[in-house]
Amino acid sequence: MRLNRTVIAVATLLVAGVAAAAIGPYARARMGVRQTICAQSLYLRTAPNDGPWSGTLVYGETFTPESRNGDYVYGFAYGQLNRKGWVQDGWFCN
């Protein structure tokens, strides 16, 4: 009985650790706050929901979100692009 409790406790901790690792260091957008891109690359689009590609932001570049539409945020992309567009939310550093 005691061994079963230990096995269950260890399994629970492992599952919790895997879930935490899956979340990673990424965060959702905060409107009006210039944030750093944590993805290796992130497409800038001319429309939300997988609209036409307009450019690619790379890790370390920044983006200031202005509005949200589902899983996409609209704002200004700094770095090599320096223009407005839509990116998929959830790829910003904490």
Side-chain angles (χ1 to χ4, degrees), residues 7-94:
V7 169
I8 291 170
V10 169
T12 302
L13 290 173
L14 287 174
V15 169
V18 169
I23 294 169
Y26 310 119
R28 290 184 53 88
R30 295 182 313 239
M31 296 303 128
V33 177
R34 188 169 174 174
Q35 294 173 263
T36 303
I37 303 297
C38 273
Q40 291 300 313
S41 63
L42 184 62
Y43 294 135
L44 184 74
R45 300 182 177 276
T46 59
N49 302 318
D50 295 330
W53 175 82
S54 173
T56 304
L57 288 157
V58 296
Y59 180 86
E61 292 185 318
T62 56
F63 185 84
T64 302
E66 298 173 7
S67 64
R68 183 184 317 274
N69 183 337
D71 289 335
Y72 283 79
V73 290
Y74 178 79
F76 191 83
Y78 297 88
Q80 24 180 336
L81 299 178
N82 285 316
R83 65 177 165 260
K84 290 189 174 194
W86 295 87
V87 297
Q88 186 177 31
D89 196 6
W91 295 101
F92 300 99
C93 298
N94 285 330

